[in-house]
Each structure stands twice: as structure tokens, then as C-alpha cells.
Amino acid sequence: MGKRSSLRTNLTNTDHESVSVVVAPSRRGVFHLIPDPDNTLTIGSGVLTLQLSADGENFFDHTTTLSNSSPGTQTAVALDAVYAVRFRTSTADGAADPNALIKAYFS
């Protein structure tokens, strides 16, 4: 049985970090970026970079990014030996959603 989670992220602030989510002992994560359904804001040109951690404290950038370039797609990532994940806003867009959601499913 998988674990579902939603992370809020600020696409208007460069280097904003979402809260981290413990994913151990999951082996796979699927992530989907959507605007907050309660507002009419968009993802715009904001880009999020996935960060991984083996101990929950020290995070490093992964090659996976989420953006509006392919809306509606899901990004799957192998999570072997990963304890926690979070997302960092690597490209900000001042007109984008400050409460965008990352829907995550871990299995």
C-alpha cells in the first residue's frame, strides 16, 4: 500500500524549500505539480528541483525538476536509500502561485 502526500510550495520565491517528507522505506515516488485549486493562479515559469536526503537533514539536488512545460504529467523517481525528499524553487515567477501543490505518491 502506498503513501500519499501533498506539499505546498511557493513558486514566487527563489530558494523556497517545501517541508520535507519521510519516504523510507519507499522505493519509488511519483510527483505532480498543480496550482492551488482554491485560487485562479498558475504555475507560470516557476521551476522546482527535487532534493533528496539520506538522513533527513542534508539535502542535495536531484536531476528531476517540476515545471509547467508539460502540464498534467507525472514524474517518477527511484528512491532507493533515500530517507526524505523536498522541493526547492530553483526558478521563481512573481506572478505564479505562492501556494502551489505537489501531489506525491510513494510506493
Side-chain angles (χ1 to χ4, degrees):
M1 179 133 207
K3 170 184 171 183
R4 293 184 187 277
S5 186
S6 291
L7 296 87
R8 290 215 178 258
T9 188
N10 186 345
L11 293 172
T12 66
N13 187 3
T14 301
D15 291 329
H16 169 79
E17 296 165 348
S18 70
V19 297
S20 61
V21 175
V22 174
V23 298
S26 301
R27 298 183 56 94
R28 181 174 174 260
V30 177
F31 306 102
H32 187 185
L33 177 64
I34 61 170
D36 182 353
D38 295 332
N39 291 310
T40 57
L41 298 171
T42 65
I43 294 169
S45 61
V47 177
L48 298 174
T49 299
L50 175 67
Q51 293 188 313
L52 307 177
S53 173
D55 60 7
E57 294 181 18
N58 300 300
F59 287 84
F60 62 92
D61 286 352
H62 189 267
T63 57
T64 298
T65 60
L66 298 179
S67 69
N68 198 29
S69 63
S70 45
T73 61
Q74 297 181 342
T75 302
V77 177
L79 297 175
D80 296 325
V82 174
Y83 177 78
V85 299
R86 71 181 181 194
F87 282 87
R88 177 180 61 84
T89 304
S90 48
T91 302
D93 179 347
D97 193 340
N99 287 312
L101 293 172
I102 303 161
K103 296 291 188 176
Y105 178 75
F106 305 102
S107 59

